[in-house]
Amino acid sequence: MISTQGLCLQYGERVLFDDVSLKFTEGNCYGLIGPNGAGKSTLLKILSGDVDPYAGQVIVPPGLRLAVLKQDHFAFNDVEALTTVLMGHERLYAVMQEKDALYAKPDFDEDDGMQTAELEAEFGELNGWEAEAQAGELLGGLGIPVSRHEILVRDLDDGDKVRVLLAQAVFGDPDILLLDEPTNHLDVESILWLEEFLISFQNTVIVVSHDRHFLNKVCTHTADIDFQKVRMYTGNYDFWREASAMALRHRQARKDKNDDRARELKEFIARFSANASKSRQATSRKKMLNQLDVEAIAPSSRKYPHIVFDASKVHGKAMLSVKNLSKSASGQQLFEGVNLTIGRSERVVVVSRNSVAVSAFLDIIAGAEEPDTGAVLWGESIRHSFLPKDYEHLFGKDLSIIDWLRQFSEEKDEGFIRQFLGRMLFTGEESRKSVTVLSGGERVRCMIARLMLEDPQCLILDGPTNHLDLESITSLNTALEKRTGTLIFGSHDVQLIESLSDRVIEITEGGLLDHQYSYTEFLERRAASVSVLVGAYPTDTRDRTPLAGARAGIVGP
């Protein structure tokens, strides 16, 4: 357990939160949510001891071990991957180092023997004999094969560095686990593995994440930072969001009949009670729902963008054809000899463990990058718009937000431009800010305003939820679900992919696999494939091979 008493954080006269007294108990996973800038990551740093609060204290009972997901991807550059994981348990690793140093002494004497005996006893108590096997198992579960366990961290790509640091944090069964954006840079399979790991984790977890599927899957409680307070709710992110929205409706309609509000509350309780049987918090949630007082739930101060896509009509079936497409980068072949066609109104997600390959594929079909071989052929009169993963070059000029968006519009009237900016929460004088000083989330909102303005028949999106807050992600997801035009995208947001895709193009080392069915079915088939392999090979706990199926055909050589 970890708790706070009277915690306060402020910078100058700006108060982030005040008088926060909470208990985070064993066996629960707490999702820490709040608007951008509310202090979520800072609160985690206060809990870990890396930042001192303005007032109050953090209480960790003696003897409990606290582990944190490290954010410095370069801190272990000169250390092997497996050793980096072992270093997550500081005392165990120190014992290992001390033992090795003593055994290496050329003049090993009786005193050294006594000391090593004590260290060996402690080593056994800390489950040291299983340590390397457990560390290797964690790396394997996250998709790093045994052949790469002795590679220096500096020689791993960014995604694998994050996987190593994540394995380091969870290694050795810490009593308290603090995770800040643990799904960043992970492929979907690694995210799903982490979800299952945390569901089975028996100790205390506190996590900050913008991944709705992840929060809904693992969290038993939600801690919301808003109005300079931190309020605790039993339930996952969806429960908090819907309960907060219902509380706001009730407060805005106090004059309505009480029985109307009671009926909505009853339906809400029935729906979440039915879902509770599938989650960790089944008993506690049902008990809480039966005692739920909507008046005690604080409506959120969050604002949601109003995103609307009106895709133009397309005549004919063919939208896009790809002929003999190949691309390599840094001496690595990303894909080769790809031939495929994407039709009108298809929703295609491109997935791969290699995020560079996904971005390269999307860049090429959008016309932002040239292939090594092959051609991309668009249907007649088809207009497409692209939200790339790397968009910094589009914000290099010192322009106001209004003038930046005006560049992409045939209609130059300021009132017309403001319509689109207002939908993305850029209002009044804020729309006159220079784009050079915008945050990552603000720049993505500018890019979405551009997509709405251009109104293409085909949207191409590479990591569209990156840098967005949960409210913007929810609004974008809803708008894309309602849109009727063609969509080609890459993302690590499981909920976004599941709700949008009806076709999965998977880039593997062996070629492209074209799964002409939904992502949900893709995951189900992958899970079935894993079960078969685990039955045949007990030591292999994760299937990383291309999915084979009746409707999955290899596209390429």
Side-chain angles (χ1 to χ4, degrees):
M1 183 184 79
I2 181 172
S3 60
T4 67
Q5 286 186 355
L7 215 59
C8 175
L9 179 66
Q10 68 181 75
Y11 295 105
E13 295 185 358
R14 184 190 175 211
V15 178
L16 290 180
F17 42 81
D18 182 43
D19 194 25
V20 174
S21 297
L22 298 169
K23 285 186 178 180
F24 303 93
T25 57
E26 184 181 7
N28 291 315
C29 178
Y30 299 84
L32 194 56
I33 65 171
N36 282 350
K40 301 182 293 295
S41 295
T42 306
L43 179 54
L44 278 189
K45 291 177 181 177
I46 291 174
L47 294 175
S48 69
D50 292 333
V51 170
D52 293 325
Y54 182 81
Q57 61 178 331
V58 176
I59 303 166
V60 179
L64 296 189
R65 188 169 74 85
L66 185 148
V68 181
L69 173 60
K70 302 288 195 305
Q71 299 298 313
D72 184 354
H73 296 181
F74 307 101
F76 302 92
N77 266 355
D78 297 323
V79 183
E80 293 179 355
L82 186 69
T83 303
T84 300
V85 176
L86 294 171
M87 292 171 73
H89 194 315
E90 293 182 4
R91 180 53 193 162
L92 173 61
Y93 186 70
V95 169
M96 294 170 68
Q97 295 292 97
E98 291 175 38
K99 280 201 316 162
D100 291 345
L102 287 170
Y103 284 131
K105 288 180 66 174
D107 54 347
F108 189 89
D109 57 23
E110 185 176 344
D111 289 338
D112 294 329
M114 294 290 291
Q115 188 175 352
T116 54
E118 293 174 359
L119 289 171
E120 289 289 5
E122 185 177 2
F123 182 72
E125 291 172 0
L126 295 173
N127 203 27
W129 299 111
E130 305 294 329
E132 288 197 9
Q134 291 176 354
E137 200 173 307
L138 290 172
L139 289 174
L142 286 165
I144 301 179
V146 174
S147 60
R148 298 178 64 80
H149 289 186
E150 296 182 1
I151 291 179
L152 294 179
V153 171
R154 72 164 65 252
D155 296 325
L156 299 173
D157 61 34
D158 288 341
D160 280 348
K161 287 178 182 177
V162 172
R163 293 179 179 89
V164 170
L165 294 178
L166 187 55
Q168 180 192 70
V170 302
F171 170 68
D173 199 28
D175 301 291
I176 302 160
L177 181 59
L178 306 181
L179 302 175
D180 191 359
E181 298 291 358
T183 63
N184 282 2
H185 303 289
L186 295 184
D187 65 316
V188 171
E189 289 189 17
S190 296
I191 293 172
L192 296 176
W193 179 90
L194 178 61
E195 288 177 352
E196 295 302 320
F197 179 90
L198 292 179
I199 287 171
S200 302
F201 191 72
Q202 297 299 311
N203 298 329
T204 305
V205 183
I206 307 173
V207 59
V208 172
S209 177
H210 286 102
D211 187 323
R212 298 159 298 160
H213 184 277
F214 179 77
L215 289 174
N216 284 328
K217 191 75 179 287
V218 306
C219 291
T220 60
H221 296 72
T222 299
D224 178 37
I225 305 180
D226 207 355
F227 301 107
Q228 299 178 347
K229 299 293 181 182
V230 184
R231 294 177 174 86
M232 188 80 77
Y233 301 96
T234 301
N236 60 19
Y237 172 72
D238 271 354
F239 173 82
W240 166 85
R241 182 172 59 84
E242 295 196 31
S244 180
M246 183 170 62
L248 180 60
R249 289 195 301 273
H250 283 199
R251 293 191 183 193
Q252 291 173 339
R254 286 185 185 276
K255 295 180 182 179
D256 291 353
K257 294 180 180 179
N258 287 335
D259 56 350
D260 290 341
R261 302 209 305 270
R263 187 183 306 112
E264 183 183 16
L265 177 58
K266 184 177 180 180
E267 292 172 354
F268 176 80
I269 290 173
R271 180 157 47 87
F272 272 90
S273 291
N275 292 335
S277 61
K278 301 177 182 178
S279 62
R280 290 176 63 186
Q281 63 269 33
T283 303
S284 60
R285 184 194 285 183
K286 287 180 178 178
K287 181 179 179 182
M288 178 275 303
L289 284 168
N290 291 328
Q291 301 172 348
L292 182 63
D293 178 11
V294 176
E295 299 300 322
I297 299 175
S300 172
S301 67
R302 269 60 139 218
K303 294 182 179 180
Y304 288 78
H306 180 58
I307 304 174
V308 179
F309 295 114
D310 299 314
S312 302
K313 291 184 178 180
V314 179
H315 299 286
K317 294 183 178 180
M319 173 69 69
L320 167 68
S321 295
V322 171
K323 306 290 185 182
N324 195 35
L325 210 64
S326 300
K327 184 67 178 179
S328 60
S330 303
Q332 178 189 9
Q333 191 71 47
L334 301 177
F335 45 84
E336 184 177 8
V338 174
N339 297 280
L340 59 84
T341 300
I342 295 175
R344 180 179 60 189
S345 299
E346 281 198 277
R347 295 164 173 251
V348 182
V349 63
V350 183
V351 301
S352 176
R353 191 171 181 278
N354 185 349
S355 61
V356 175
V358 172
S359 292
F361 183 81
L362 296 174
D363 284 344
I364 289 170
I365 65 171
E369 189 174 334
E370 291 295 323
D372 295 340
T373 65
V376 176
L377 306 174
W378 287 94
E380 186 177 354
S381 301
I382 298 298
R383 290 179 294 105
H384 61 272
S385 294
F386 182 36
L387 194 165
K389 182 174 289 185
D390 182 8
Y391 45 74
E392 292 302 312
H393 61 286
L394 298 173
F395 294 89
K397 293 182 180 179
D398 186 10
L399 297 172
S400 69
I401 298 175
I402 291 175
D403 290 335
W404 180 88
L405 187 59
R406 203 194 312 261
Q407 300 175 100
F408 308 105
S409 175
E410 294 181 3
E411 173 60 67
K412 304 299 182 182
D413 178 70
E414 183 170 313
F416 177 79
I417 300 297
R418 280 186 177 275
Q419 292 179 35
F420 296 93
L421 293 177
R423 292 179 186 176
M424 297 310 299
L425 308 180
F426 294 113
T427 58
E429 288 302 308
E430 189 177 15
S431 60
R432 298 195 180 279
K433 282 199 309 187
S434 171
V435 296
T436 60
V437 300
L438 297 181
S439 67
E442 289 172 324
R443 292 185 178 187
V444 176
R445 281 159 47 205
C446 285
M447 294 292 292
I448 294 172
R450 175 188 171 182
L451 298 179
M452 289 192 291
L453 176 68
E454 292 177 337
D455 186 28
Q457 291 109 341
C458 180
L459 280 177
I460 306 169
L461 311 175
D462 189 4
T465 61
N466 293 353
H467 305 293
L468 291 180
D469 57 23
L470 286 165
E471 292 70 46
S472 297
I473 292 172
T474 299
S475 296
L476 177 62
N477 200 153
T478 301
L480 291 172
E481 283 186 83
K482 293 179 179 178
R483 185 179 177 275
T484 57
T486 303
L487 176 64
I488 308 169
F489 70 108
S491 178
H492 291 161
D493 188 309
V494 178
Q495 187 166 333
L496 186 82
I497 300 173
E498 286 188 329
S499 64
L500 296 178
S501 62
D502 54 28
R503 180 178 174 186
V504 182
I505 293 177
E506 183 183 14
I507 303 175
T508 75
E509 293 181 356
L512 251 72
L513 302 179
D514 188 4
H515 310 280
Q516 299 193 27
Y517 40 78
S518 71
Y519 189 71
T520 301
E521 185 172 345
F522 169 80
L523 290 180
E524 289 171 352
R525 291 182 176 223
R526 175 59 54 83
S529 176
V530 170
S531 298
V532 171
L533 286 174
V534 169
Y537 306 101
T539 59
D540 185 3
T541 60
R542 285 281 150 181
D543 172 29
R544 294 285 171 174
T545 60
L547 177 66
R551 288 184 288 165
I554 294 183
V555 182

